Amino acid sequence: MTPFEDFSFFIYLLIPIVPAVLLGILGAAGKVRAMWVLLSTLGMLLLIGRPLSVLYQMIGYLMFQWIIVRGYLSYRLKAQDKNLSSIFYLVIFLSILPLAAVKLNPTVIELGFWQTVVGFIGISYLTFRTVGILMEIRDGLIKEVQLPDFISFVLFFPTLASGPIDRYRRFVADLDKPLNRREYGELAIQGMDYIFRGFLYKFIIAYLINKYWLDPLNHSFGFLPTLQYMYAYGLYLFFDFAGYSAFAIGVSYLMGIRTPINFDKPFISKNIKDFWNRWHMSLSFWFRDYIYMRFVLDSAKKKRFRNRYTASYIGYILLFGIMGVWHGIQPQYVLYGFYHAGLMIGFDYLDRQNKTRKFWGKGPVWDLLAILVTFNFVMFGFLIFSGRLF
C-alpha cells in the first residue's frame, strides 16, 4: 500500500497516531515517544511492505545499509588517517549500489537460478538518508548511531515513500527532545493544518486539474494542446506532490517529529535560484550541501580551475545531472537535469553582468516580470520532465 494514496490508508494511520497524541497530551518523556515512533514505524512497515516479498527486500536493504554505516563508523573512530578517501568512496559506492541497480534495471535482476523483483517504494529516499549519515560520519559530526534510532530515521513511515528528506542529527534530536503538553499541542495543531492542506492540494485541486484539464489533453497534440499540457502538468505535479508532502509533515508533527518542509510558494520565485530554494527543498538542499558545495570547496582547495566561476558551473552540471539521472535514465529526465543546470549557469552569468549593464531593474513591476519569466521557464522544464516532447 502506497502511503497517502487513498483514504483507506488514513484509517490505518489512526493506529499509530492516536497513541502518539495521547502520549503528547500526557507529556510523555522523549524516550517513551521515541519507542512509540520505532514501534509505529515497524508496524506500518508491515502494511506498506505488502506483499511479503517487498517487506523482505526492505528489511534486507535496511540491514545492508546498517552494516555499511556501522562498519564505516567503527573505521572512522579507530583509523589513524582520518582523511583516507578510498574507504569513504567505497562505502558510498556500496550504499548507492542497490539504488543504481534499480535505476539501471527497474524490473528484474537475475541471480543465478533465482530471480527477485528489485526495488521497492521509497528506496531513493532511504538511500539519501543513509548516504547523508555516511557523509556526516566522515565530517566527524556523527560519533554514534544506535540501531533503534537508525531504523526509526531511515524507515520513518510518514516520509518513507517520497520524503521529505530529513537529516539524522536533527531527527534524533527531535526523538530525544522532551515536549510538555503545551509544546506538543502547538505542534499537533500545526500538524493538523498540514494534513487538511494535504487533502485540499492532493484530493481536491490536483484531482480536478488531472480530471478536467490534464487528462483530456493526453490525446490532443499540436502546439496549443502541448502549451496547455505544459501548465496543466506543472500545476498538477505541484499540488499532488505538495499535498503528499503536507500529509507527511502533518503526520510527523503528530508523532512529535518536526520533519522539514518541502515547498515554500515556489511559483512566486523571482529567479531560478530562488525557485530551487522553494521547490522540493529537502532534496535540493541535500544535493546542494552534499554534492555541489563539496565539489566547489574541494575544487577551490585543490585549485582545479583558474576561474572560480568554472567550478561553480561544473558543480551545477554535476548537481542537476545527478538529480536528473536520479529520477531515471530516460532521456526526459537527463535532459531535465541539464536544462536546469543551464538555467542556473545562465542566470548566474546574467546576474553578474546586470551589475554593470543593467539588464533589469528593481521595483514591483520588475518583480512581477521576473516571477512571470521564471514561472514559464520552470513550466517548460516540467514539460520536458513529463516526457511529452519525446
Side-chain angles (χ1 to χ4, degrees), residues 69-89:
V69 168
R70 283 302 307 175
Y72 185 59
L73 180 61
S74 298
Y75 164 78
R76 287 288 298 176
L77 294 176
K78 296 177 181 178
Q80 295 181 354
D81 184 3
K82 301 293 185 181
N83 295 318
L84 187 61
S85 298
S86 58
I87 300 297
F88 170 71
Y89 293 133

Side-chain angles (χ1 to χ4, degrees), residues 273 292 295-296 305-316 345 348-349 352-353 355:
K273 285 187 177 180
Y292 174 79
F295 174 80
V296 171
F305 311 103
R306 292 183 180 180
N307 189 326
R308 63 190 179 96
Y309 298 114
T310 303
S312 178
Y313 295 162
I314 294 178
Y316 285 137
I345 293 170
D348 184 80
Y349 175 79
R352 288 187 287 107
Q353 294 295 315
K355 295 177 181 178

Side-chain angles (χ1 to χ4, degrees), residues 19-56:
V21 172
L22 292 175
L23 290 174
I25 293 174
L26 295 174
K31 291 184 178 180
V32 176
R33 288 190 301 100
M35 180 58 67
W36 183 245
V37 168
L38 175 62
L39 293 175
S40 299
T41 293
L42 293 175
M44 293 299 289
L45 187 63
L46 296 175
L47 175 67
I48 298 171
R50 294 178 181 177
L52 287 179
S53 60
V54 176
L55 179 62
Y56 296 152

